[in-house]
């Protein structure tokens, strides 16, 4: 019953070339510490501001090797906390996903 | 400086992979903690069983051991104590974390903090497992040496006379003489010639 800013976006796993283009323009990236990047910006579908940490290593219990290098292209899924009707229990976000390219620029 | 660019339109496979990675990240700290708790119970049980086993069977103290070996057992038990305490602390640190105060200004997002903590906890857990197993090794070695180490020999007898001395074990008193078994056989020393009788750990 709040002051909703627009129509309710239902949960739907969708992608579009436009998502990637918009995110590349609006997202920022920051190196938090060695091996940890933080992407941040508004979701191109639901507009919620999300932050996506990208790690080199993730702990896995019971086998599996840690040490996966961050790929050049990252698939990003929306991880907003807002309610999106139809979202499965185990998921977060609005369902939007896209890819973003990370490149070491001239520093 | 990292530049962002639009990526190719991802496939459903890419989506599932990203979702799985996201779920893995979201739950990793929880999983490390649970793993640490499981290891804590398992290794604790192992130690309790081992201590119980060591107390029930075999020689229960080191007073029957030859002196040098008693020192070895003491060192092994010391090693077990150090690795045991250190290992237990490491596993507790993995299971429950470490209280920490951070500057608000440069506090990274929770996901980053949780991930950092998960990696630290996983490291502590690995160290704790190795240390606890080291403690088990020390205990097993200590118990083994206590059971199978050489028995302390009877103290040797040193009988000195004005012309020299004899070292060996007491055999008997024979008339006015004392019979001592030395390395070169039984030696009979007349008591009248004895100037001093003493003991020695070994000849
Ligand atoms: Zn979204
Ligand atoms: Zn959303």
């Amino acid at each position: 019953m709040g002051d909703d800013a627009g129509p309710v976006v239902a949960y739907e796993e969708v992608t579009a070339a436009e998502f990637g283009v918009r995110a590349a323009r609006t997202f920022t990236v920051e190196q938090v510490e060695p091996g940890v990047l933080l992407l941040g910006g508004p979701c191109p579908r639901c507009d919620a501001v999300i932050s996506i940490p990208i790690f080199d290593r993730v702990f896995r219990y019971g086998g599996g090797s840690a040490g996966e290098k961050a790929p050049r292209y990252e698939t990003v899924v929306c991880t907003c906390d807002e309610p999106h009707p139809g979202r499965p229990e185990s998921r977060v976000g609005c369902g939007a996903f896209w890819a973003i390219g990370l490149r070491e620029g001239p520093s | 400086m990292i530049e962002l660019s639009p990526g190719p339109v991802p496939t459903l496979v890419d989506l599932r992979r990203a979702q799985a990675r996201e779920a893995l990240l979201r739950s990793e700290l929880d999983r490390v903690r649970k793993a640490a708790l499981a290891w804590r119970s398992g290794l604790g049980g192992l130690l309790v069983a081992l201590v119980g086993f060591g107390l029930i069977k075999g020689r229960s103290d080191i007073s029957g051991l030859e002196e040098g070996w008693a020192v070895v057992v003491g060192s092994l038990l010391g090693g077990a104590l150090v690795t045991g305490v250190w290992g237990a602390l490491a596993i507790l640190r993995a299971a429950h974390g470490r209280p920490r105060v951070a500057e608000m200004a440069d506090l990274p997002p929770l996901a980053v903090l949780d991930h950092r903590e998960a990696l630290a906890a996983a490291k502590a857990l690995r160290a704790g497992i190795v240390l606890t197993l080291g403690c088990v090794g020390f205990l097993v070695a200590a118990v083994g040496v206590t059971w199978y180490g050489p028995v302390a020999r009877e103290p040797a007898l040193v009988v000195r006379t004005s012309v020299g001395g004899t070292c060996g074990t007491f055999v008997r008193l024979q008339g006015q003489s004392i019979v001592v078994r030395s390395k070169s056989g039984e030696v009979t020393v007349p008591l009248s010639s004895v100037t001093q009788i003493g003991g020695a750990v070994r000849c």
Side-chain angles (χ1 to χ4, degrees), chain B:
Chain B
M1 190 64 201
I2 297 155
E3 288 173 354
L4 297 178
S5 58
V9 173
T11 62
L12 266 184
V13 175
D14 294 329
L15 170 66
R16 296 288 172 244
R17 201 179 292 142
Q19 283 170 334
R21 191 182 49 198
E22 196 274 327
L24 204 61
L25 265 177
R26 203 154 13 107
S27 60
E28 74 171 343
L29 184 55
D30 202 39
R31 280 179 291 116
V32 186
R33 296 267 193 259
K34 286 208 176 97
L37 285 176
W39 277 97
R40 189 191 66 180
S41 314
L43 290 173
L46 180 63
L47 280 178
V48 167
L50 192 77
V51 169
F53 183 64
L55 290 179
I56 291 163
K57 302 204 73 176
R59 259 180 243 153
S60 60
D61 68 312
I62 59 173
S63 59
L65 272 181
E66 210 177 88
E67 197 186 19
W69 288 97
V71 172
V72 169
V73 171
S75 311
L76 289 170
L77 287 176
L81 184 70
V82 170
T83 51
V85 169
W86 195 1
L89 286 178
I91 290 178
L92 285 178
R93 187 252 170 276
H96 303 292
R98 179 189 289 159
R100 202 180 273 160
V101 177
E103 294 293 329
M104 283 302 280
D106 48 41
L107 206 58
L110 194 62
V112 175
L113 285 181
D114 275 0
H115 177 67
R116 200 188 283 171
E117 172 61 21
L119 289 185
K123 199 172 152 198
L125 177 57
R126 280 194 297 272
I129 291 168
V130 169
L131 284 165
T132 312
L133 291 179
C135 170
V136 168
F138 276 124
L139 278 179
V140 168
V143 169
V145 172
T146 310
W147 290 0
Y148 303 114
V151 190
R153 278 172 297 190
E154 255 180 76
L157 195 63
V158 182
V159 179
R160 288 187 215 286
T161 63
S162 52
V163 292
T166 306
C167 182
T169 52
F170 174 79
V171 180
R172 63 186 174 272
L173 279 173
Q174 195 174 46
Q176 295 300 305
S177 297
I178 182 169
V179 181
V180 174
R181 183 176 294 112
S182 74
K183 272 183 192 137
S184 48
E186 287 192 3
V187 180
T188 306
V189 185
L191 285 174
S192 57
S193 67
V194 171
T195 56
Q196 189 196 2
I197 294 182
V201 175
R202 65 184 64 196
C203 289

Side-chain angles (χ1 to χ4, degrees), chain A residues 9 43 45-48 50 78-84 87 93-94:
Chain A
V9 181
C43 168
R45 178 163 181 257
C46 75
D47 271 336
I50 54 176
C78 175
T79 54
C80 78
D81 295 325
E82 280 156 31
H84 290 291
R87 180 166 65 201
C94 69

Side-chain angles (χ1 to χ4, degrees), chain A residues 13 15 17 24 27 29 33 37-38 55 57-61 73-75 77 91 97 99-103 105-106, chain B residues 1-11 14-16 19 21 24-26 28 31-32 35 109 115-116 122:
Chain A
E13 290 175 349
T15 185
F27 271 52
V29 62
E33 58 187 57
L37 295 177
L38 194 66
F55 301 106
R57 293 178 300 160
V58 175
F59 172 79
R60 288 198 187 92
Y61 182 36
Y73 286 104
E74 282 287 336
T75 306
V77 285
R91 299 258 187 263
F97 64 105
I100 200 158
L102 299 155
R103 191 179 37 226
Chain B
M1 190 64 201
I2 297 155
E3 288 173 354
L4 297 178
S5 58
V9 173
T11 62
D14 294 329
L15 170 66
R16 296 288 172 244
Q19 283 170 334
R21 191 182 49 198
L24 204 61
L25 265 177
R26 203 154 13 107
E28 74 171 343
R31 280 179 291 116
V32 186
H115 177 67
R116 200 188 283 171

